Amino acid sequence: MPKDRNASKLIAQNKKAFHDYFIEETYQAGIELIGTEVKSLRAGKCNLKESYIQIRSGEAFVEGMHISPYEFGNIFNKDPLRSRRLLLHKKEIARLKTAVSAEGYTIVPLKVYFHKSLVKLDIAVAKGKKLYDKRGDIAKKDQRREFERDFKVRNLY
């Protein structure tokens, strides 16, 4: 069976972002990387937990994204936490900049994946959740889990 050319391979996902923020708008961005970083990503060594997006002088950068050094990279390895430029259109950067200027909004990375042979990063304009919002989400998940458990038990008999 032939491989799907448009298939995406997930490298890392920021699950904490969905817990801490309301996701408003999402964008797909390319990342400017060095060769050994790509090899490390192919091995799945990436962490998005403490990362965020910053806009400086008309360009978007991802800060705090940890890509572990490639084990066979020697002198070619770069700092694992260095800021990496995102490849976005100027209109998208302008939209992101205006969205962040509003109170309580930020830009967070959601996931890193390979699309064809390119490394892509999904980013989102997000609004921070309050503690009571998080409690509400947890209660909804518990209700859904309980309902599914009851449904499963009823259908067994």
Side-chain angles (χ1 to χ4, degrees):
M1 183 157 43
K3 245 184 172 178
D4 185 15
R5 289 190 165 267
N6 293 329
S8 297
K9 180 189 172 214
L10 185 67
I11 300 168
Q13 192 171 10
N14 189 359
K15 293 179 183 176
K16 191 101 170 121
F18 293 99
H19 184 262
D20 291 342
Y21 300 99
F22 291 114
I23 306 299
E24 302 283 327
E25 232 182 318
T26 59
Y27 296 90
Q28 182 185 52
I31 312 174
E32 189 177 277
L33 297 170
I34 309 299
T36 56
E37 290 175 330
V38 176
K39 290 180 180 186
S40 186
L41 285 174
R42 287 204 186 280
K45 298 188 177 181
C46 180
N47 190 349
L48 289 175
K49 279 187 182 165
E50 299 295 323
S51 57
Y52 58 95
I53 309 298
Q54 196 173 45
I55 297 177
R56 296 189 301 250
S57 62
E59 293 183 333
F61 293 90
V62 62
E63 306 284 341
M65 183 170 107
H66 187 276
I67 298 177
S68 299
Y70 183 57
E71 57 187 281
F72 303 111
N74 298 336
I75 60 169
F76 300 107
N77 282 330
K78 299 291 183 194
D79 179 28
L81 290 173
R82 74 181 184 88
S83 61
R84 295 167 179 90
R85 189 165 67 110
L86 296 180
L87 307 174
L88 290 162
H89 294 283
K90 286 188 180 198
K91 288 181 182 178
E92 290 176 328
I93 293 173
R95 261 188 261 142
L96 288 171
K97 194 171 186 174
T98 56
V100 172
S101 64
E103 184 75 24
Y105 282 92
T106 186
I107 309 169
V108 292
L110 298 178
K111 63 181 178 179
V112 179
Y113 57 95
F114 281 105
H115 180 74
K116 298 181 183 176
S117 64
L118 304 173
V119 179
K120 297 290 185 177
L121 177 70
D122 276 358
I123 60 176
V125 175
K127 185 172 177 78
K129 284 186 183 179
K130 305 284 188 223
L131 183 61
Y132 56 83
D133 292 329
K134 293 179 189 177
R135 287 182 185 152
D137 283 350
I138 292 170
K140 285 179 188 174
K141 284 180 186 176
D142 288 343
Q143 276 182 333
R144 192 187 82 240
R145 201 176 301 124
E146 191 67 34
F147 173 75
E148 287 174 356
R149 195 176 298 131
D150 290 344
F151 184 73
K152 185 177 177 183
V153 169
R154 270 190 266 135
N155 285 337
L156 285 177
Y157 298 110

